[in-house]
Amino acid sequence: MTDTYNTTTSIMVAADLINEMIPPLKSQDSVKKALNWMDAFRITQLPIVENNVYKGIITEDMLYEINNPDATIDAIEPLYEDVFVGEDQHFYDVMRLATDHNLRIIAVVDLSNIFVGVITVRDTLAAFARTFANQSAGAILVMSMNYRDYSLAHISRLIEENNTKILSSYVDTDPYDSNLIKLTLKLDKTELTPILATLERFEYRVIAKFQENPDADIQKERLDMFFRYFDI
């Protein structure tokens, strides 16, 4: 689930996010090979591709269920054959599919439905964070709320009352509570004290805040915190 309040001038699409290091499996590959690749790339899911056509995804758990490292993976029925994105789709679409299906990778196909590559959720979040970071100076707020309480129009009015504008926003479901959402806002100001006071007065819960800092180590630490809030 996504909601864009404003877009950046540079739109990140699926083709820009493909991880060239992650290879697809073929049905005649062995369970051992698949597990070795998962271990090497530190991932628990890999795509299955035959004759350049995307067939779905297999998981580490599915491989272990075979209990025979020399068996070929054609004994496994891949999942998520219909879950993929086109090369020109926005990276928000990647996050929506990953969230809806609890996936860590999303396949990318071209206009002829030929497999192009895969995107990892972590790479997508990193691109999302860079998009925020590359906008004009400002802060990032992460808010948690019940879905029924979500109104971007109301929240934007409260923020604008403090002479601050929302540059962009992202909405995601909470992985631990389907009734909750996380709203991430990029603002055009770095001073958050009056904004936090206003949001608190209207009983909005801010669970994280990231203010601009030139120290690269601090920025990295805060981006790592950002990833943890999305359970990646």
Side-chain angles (χ1 to χ4, degrees):
M1 176 175 56
T2 60
D3 186 348
T4 306
Y5 177 80
N6 196 359
T7 57
T8 60
T9 55
S10 178
I11 299 175
M12 189 76 68
V13 297
D16 300 320
L17 299 169
I18 292 173
N19 189 320
E20 303 288 352
M21 298 296 295
I22 298 178
L25 292 164
K26 297 180 180 179
S27 60
Q28 292 304 307
D29 286 332
S30 68
V31 170
K32 181 179 180 180
K33 178 179 180 178
L35 287 172
N36 284 341
W37 279 9
M38 287 182 180
D39 181 63
F41 297 108
R42 298 184 179 181
I43 200 163
T44 59
Q45 301 166 350
L46 281 174
I48 303 292
V49 174
E50 290 294 337
N51 297 318
N52 295 321
V53 177
Y54 170 67
K55 295 296 184 180
I57 287 172
I58 63 169
T59 69
E60 185 179 58
D61 289 341
M62 295 165 70
L63 293 167
Y64 280 123
E65 285 179 3
I66 294 181
N67 199 29
N68 180 1
D70 297 321
T72 55
I73 59 176
D74 58 359
I76 301 174
E77 185 69 28
L79 303 174
Y80 309 111
E81 182 178 2
D82 298 325
V83 179
F84 53 83
V85 294
E87 292 177 287
D88 295 330
Q89 285 187 249
H90 196 280
F91 70 88
Y92 283 166
D93 293 327
V94 177
M95 290 306 302
R96 177 182 56 80
L97 285 178
T99 299
D100 289 348
H101 299 283
N102 194 29
L103 289 171
R104 290 293 177 262
I105 62 170
I106 296 293
V108 183
V109 301
D110 67 13
L111 292 176
S112 301
N113 286 325
I114 298 300
F115 177 79
V116 178
V118 295
I119 299 170
T120 70
V121 172
R122 187 170 183 87
D123 287 343
T124 306
L125 272 179
F128 176 66
R130 287 195 301 270
T131 297
F132 273 158
N134 289 336
Q135 292 174 350
S136 59
I140 296 173
L141 286 181
V142 184
M143 304 167 63
S144 176
M145 66 192 73
N146 285 307
Y147 179 71
R148 65 177 180 272
D149 297 328
Y150 170 63
S151 171
L152 187 57
H154 182 238
I155 293 169
S156 66
R157 282 197 299 272
L158 296 179
I159 290 174
E160 287 174 359
E161 287 174 1
N162 291 280
N163 298 315
T164 302
K165 294 187 179 299
I166 298 174
L167 298 178
S168 57
S169 70
Y170 178 76
V171 180
D172 192 18
T173 54
D174 190 305
Y176 302 109
D177 188 339
S178 60
N179 294 316
L180 296 178
I181 61 171
K182 292 178 180 179
L183 170 64
T184 304
L185 303 174
K186 169 68 178 190
L187 309 179
D188 70 344
K189 299 288 180 61
T190 57
E191 175 53 49
L192 292 176
T193 302
I195 296 170
L196 294 174
T198 300
L199 293 174
E200 183 179 353
R201 188 166 69 252
F202 283 86
E203 299 183 343
Y204 284 109
R205 180 180 170 224
V206 176
I207 59 175
K209 55 184 183 294
F210 308 92
Q211 292 167 278
E212 190 178 60
N213 192 304
D215 190 312
D217 291 335
I218 293 177
Q219 287 285 32
K220 182 180 184 303
E221 178 183 350
R222 287 177 174 172
L223 286 179
D224 288 341
M225 289 172 60
F226 180 80
F227 292 146
R228 288 198 292 274
Y229 274 108
F230 286 90
D231 192 36
I232 299 302

